[in-house]
Amino acid sequence: MRSSIGLSERLKSLDKGQNPFDKNEDRRETRSEAMADLEDVQTVDLMSELLRRLKCSQKPDKRLIFIGPPGSGKGTQSPIVKDEFCLCHLSTGDMLRAAVASKTTLGLKAKEAMDKGALVTDELVVAAVASKTTLGLKAKEAMDKGALVTDELVVGIIDEAMNKPKCQKGFILDGFPRTVAQAEKLDEMLKKRGTGIDKVLNFAIDDSVLEERITGRWIHPSSGRSYHTKFAPPKTPGVDDITGEPLIQRKDDNAEVLRSRLAAFHTQTEPVIDYYAKKAVLTNIHAEKAPQEVTSEVQKALS
């Protein structure tokens, strides 16, 4: 029986455009299976995906970092920017919440930290990002021995992620780097690739504005789309506008946890903001505005 994987996943296996007469039997077999799967795809779906990829090929490459406290609107703007510029969205927060939902050992440790309003350690962030990559296994080995995961390993995992087809036009990093040391290592890695960070958007907002935002926030888990009961309500309460699937409210979206998370954010992340400001790649976004106004400001910053 053929796999029921999605069209995008099928096309990714053909994305590299290797020689069809490749003598490597394993590679030829993989491509043959992918082509066979494509035979079952509806023509309209296939053409839509091909047109999307053609459009994406004409987009400029962009390597972005989104910085901001919880509730600042990164989760609302990230999917918009991702779709507009055909980028991959690497969100450590989403990865950790997925681990929490799966109730793995990593998820239970992350949940304990998040429920207390503490920032999740770099070791747990790395484990979430790793996702069975070669460097991820090295990170797991280090953690199992009780050793610290180095910044080089963290950045190496990001480097591996950038090789995926979905990241060919660039990426949005959300939740990383969290320290100046990590930012420096990230710059070193990108320099070796002949690239660099194009823009860092700082979603600046006063702490007093965030409590109302946080307590009214609802999330569509699989896409990351976010809504708010007051500021950006879904068309139908409790239901995602696009898929019709149910929305959830995160357990850590409460005032007490928020205050703790904000204190940790300011202590750890503000030096990173200063670091990128000195490099003249930082743009401050007035995140207290309505979502549509913030979107316009983000688009202007990235134009």
Side-chain angles (χ1 to χ4, degrees), residues 1 11 19 36 43 56 58 67 75 77 96 105 114 132 158 173 178 183 187 204 206 228 250-251 256 264-266 303:
M1 181 179 293
L11 286 174
N19 183 352
T43 301
C56 287
Q58 300 169 355
I67 298 177
Q77 302 302 324
L96 287 167
T105 302
M114 293 161 73
K132 300 180 181 178
I158 299 294
L173 285 180
R178 302 196 305 180
D187 281 348
D206 192 271
H228 193 281
R250 297 171 185 160
K251 291 184 178 180
E256 182 179 353
F265 170 82
H266 291 309
S303 62

Side-chain angles (χ1 to χ4, degrees), residues 51-61 85-86 169:
L51 288 172
R52 185 192 71 81
R53 292 194 176 212
L54 179 61
K55 179 181 178 182
C56 287
S57 69
Q58 300 169 355
K59 298 282 187 179
D61 292 359
F85 294 101
C86 305
K169 299 304 295 182

